[in-house]
Amino acid sequence: MSGEAPLHVHSSMGFGIATPVASATAAANAMRQQGGSVFDMYLAALACAWVADPANCSPFGRMQGVFSVAGKAGCLNAPTAVRRVPESDVPVPGNIAAWFFIKRSGRLRLPVRALLAPAAALAQQGFAPTMGLTVALESEAPALSEPLRAIYLEETGAPRAHVRNPELADLFRILAESESEDDFWRILRARDPGPWSPEETLDNSVRQAAPLTLDLDPDPDGRPQRLLTTGAIETWGTWTLLGAAVTVELRRRRALVDFSRAIEAYVLSTILLLDRIPFSVGTLEPKVGRPSVDLDISSEASAIVERVIRLLDAPVEVLWKELKSTYFPGPASWTDDANTNHFAFASGDDFLSFTTSIGPWFGSKLCWWGAALGYSYAMKSNSLFQGQTHDVTEMSPLIVEVAGAPTLAIGSAGSERILGSLTYLLFLRFGLGFCDDMANLMAKPRVFPKDGKLRMHPDFWPDARAHLEARGFEIAPTGYEPYTHVGMVNAVERLDSRRYKSGVDPSSTGSAL
């Protein structure tokens, strides 16, 4: 593979692609050129990411997605299933079930073998690790199992300059030849039982439901706008909608007129939003016995906005007295920097926005068939909520509709920074009224409350930074790189009937086309 730097912004006619790695973007485009659908493009890209972005995704991970195809919107939830296995943190995968579900759905136009060919070649011939993979390897090397170390590290412990994974290429061959999910698992387990007991099944049904939606204010031309996301207890889509609803309500109450105070309003609303979620930030342990995403978004947004407006006008000591009752300040608020990844596609009128994960970098750190096995926060913590069967995840892929037609597919990677980066970009557009296209908005400096400080890009607006410091916030300068990023966003936007613009995060090694 070439070591050329990937494109972070690209304009195209009739389509758009934004993925975590250049090989995935190229595979998706190859499928498009062969007449493939957005689902063909996604599966081909996903398989390449399993090879070239192995710290963040795996055949043995999970996915969530929202799509609008042939004028009909839907969502797919394929979380990892919790196993009752003592001292194990390896869950039942969701990705393979989703793969066969999509295959059976009639949405694919190309043979599965064609979809897997680019990934199989990449695994067999090898590739140069991206900076993002190198960061993950440097961070996780001591914890990796020996099979993973053998694939990605030299004997010295340094990341390999060229990575080959023939065992994963063999998995792709089996996936292409398997008529059913049961056949696939049976062949894999016959050759290598893995961590599964003989009597254990790997059944994990995919869930389909109507997307959750939120009506936004009309665009400058008066056209109605709507936000769509996945909606289930296993995904944070509901909370992203709630963040957007808070933004809309803050603007309606004219709380965003002064720019510096508006940025403080965003910071405060994000802290209160993360505090409202019924799972502990970073660990995903339930804070209540029966967590629920079934809530009245309008009333919840009004309640958060009332607190934000009150705190904006409060003296510094009063502000911090209330903030100290949230998760935000102090060492107990620390959360990890592990990532997920996101894929955004558009082809004609069809849009797809999917996010995948295996938990923290390299998931459980265990390997099977050349791929990392997923990680279960629920199994590791042993803090299951009542009736829990699947893991919870921060993944929140989005689609924006204008006048009933999809115009934007967007999502992010980065643990709880997924919610932060998406709500921030929605805040710029629907709160502050920035008219830039989304690829340009993604290049603007960001702020995110994390670990008791505000992660902030160095080129952030000076007056707003000074205002936040005067309000008692400590700034943690954050560069545009994979080490301490503020969410890694991918987006595809339709600008008019023919023009599309794709963007990947300035902090990432993703690729737009």
Side-chain angles (χ1 to χ4, degrees), residues 144-402:
L144 296 181
S145 62
E146 282 305 316
L148 284 175
R149 293 177 62 85
I151 295 169
Y152 299 105
L153 302 176
E154 303 283 2
E155 290 184 3
T156 61
R160 292 187 184 276
H162 187 79
V163 174
R164 291 183 65 250
N165 196 340
E167 192 173 19
L168 186 54
D170 201 19
L171 181 147
F172 291 141
R173 179 186 60 77
I174 296 169
L175 184 58
E177 294 174 354
S178 298
E179 288 299 318
S180 70
E181 183 182 354
D182 287 343
D183 288 344
F184 175 76
W185 290 130
R186 178 178 51 77
I187 295 169
L188 260 59
R189 294 172 71 179
R191 288 177 49 179
D192 179 354
W196 325 106
S197 60
E199 68 278 5
E200 192 172 10
T201 72
L202 297 184
D203 293 339
N204 185 8
S205 298
V206 173
R207 294 109 182 269
Q208 259 202 317
L212 283 179
T213 63
L214 174 72
D215 290 330
L216 302 164
D217 287 342
D219 74 357
D221 296 324
R223 298 176 297 176
Q225 300 184 99
R226 189 168 72 145
L227 191 60
L228 288 72
T229 189
T230 54
I233 193 66
E234 295 90 5
T235 176
W236 279 16
T238 297
W239 312 107
T240 311
L241 289 195
L242 179 55
V246 168
T247 283
V248 170
E249 186 65 15
L250 283 168
R251 184 174 185 177
R252 288 172 180 169
R253 298 199 193 186
R254 299 188 58 77
L256 306 179
V257 175
D258 177 83
F259 182 77
S260 294
R261 274 173 59 92
I263 295 296
E264 183 186 355
Y266 170 76
V267 168
L268 295 175
S269 64
T270 303
I271 293 171
L272 297 180
L273 175 60
L274 286 166
D275 204 51
R276 166 63 183 85
I277 296 171
F279 300 97
S280 298
V281 175
T283 66
L284 300 182
E285 293 182 20
K287 294 192 290 189
V288 296
R290 290 176 175 267
S292 175
V293 294
D294 185 16
L295 67 155
D296 185 328
I297 288 181
S298 178
S299 63
E300 292 271 356
S302 293
I304 290 176
V305 167
E306 291 286 352
R307 291 181 69 187
V308 168
I309 291 174
R310 176 167 52 81
L311 292 175
L312 285 173
D313 294 327
V316 171
E317 60 273 16
V318 174
L319 167 66
W320 282 93
K321 181 178 180 180
E322 185 151 342
L323 288 183
K324 284 178 180 177
S325 69
T326 70
Y327 79 93
F328 177 59
S333 73
W334 183 87
T335 60
D336 65 48
D337 275 315
N339 297 307
T340 51
N341 57 28
H342 180 262
F343 303 79
F345 304 100
S347 181
D349 296 328
D350 296 339
F351 280 66
L352 183 148
S353 179
F354 267 67
T355 311
T356 73
S357 173
I358 48 174
W361 276 328
F362 290 102
S364 65
K365 315 297 186 291
L366 301 175
C367 185
W368 192 44
W369 284 87
L373 287 158
Y375 173 88
S376 171
Y377 287 97
M379 292 173 67
K380 182 67 173 179
S381 69
N382 200 29
S383 299
L384 278 68
F385 57 80
Q386 188 172 343
Q388 183 173 6
T389 60
H390 289 75
D391 280 301
V392 175
T393 169
E394 296 103 332
M395 295 188 283
S396 320
L398 304 170
I399 283 178
V400 175
E401 290 181 344
V402 176

Side-chain angles (χ1 to χ4, degrees), residues 6-46 48-49 342-348 350-354 407-411 439 442 489-495 498-505 508-513:
L7 287 170
H8 280 82
V9 177
H10 193 269
S11 296
S12 300
M13 301 298 284
F15 76 98
I17 301 170
T19 83
V21 282
S23 57
T25 296
N29 191 44
M31 298 308 110
R32 181 190 67 83
Q33 291 173 332
Q34 295 174 41
S37 69
V38 287
F39 281 96
D40 291 288
M41 294 163 67
Y42 168 57
L43 291 187
L46 176 63
C48 283
H342 180 262
F343 303 79
F345 304 100
S347 181
D350 296 339
F351 280 66
L352 183 148
S353 179
F354 267 67
T407 61
L408 174 68
I410 187 169
M442 287 163 55
V489 182
N490 286 339
V492 172
E493 186 170 22
R494 187 174 189 168
L495 302 181
R498 288 280 296 150
R499 294 185 304 134
Y500 294 71
K501 192 169 183 180
S502 305
V504 299
D505 203 274
S508 81
T509 48
S511 178
L513 187 61

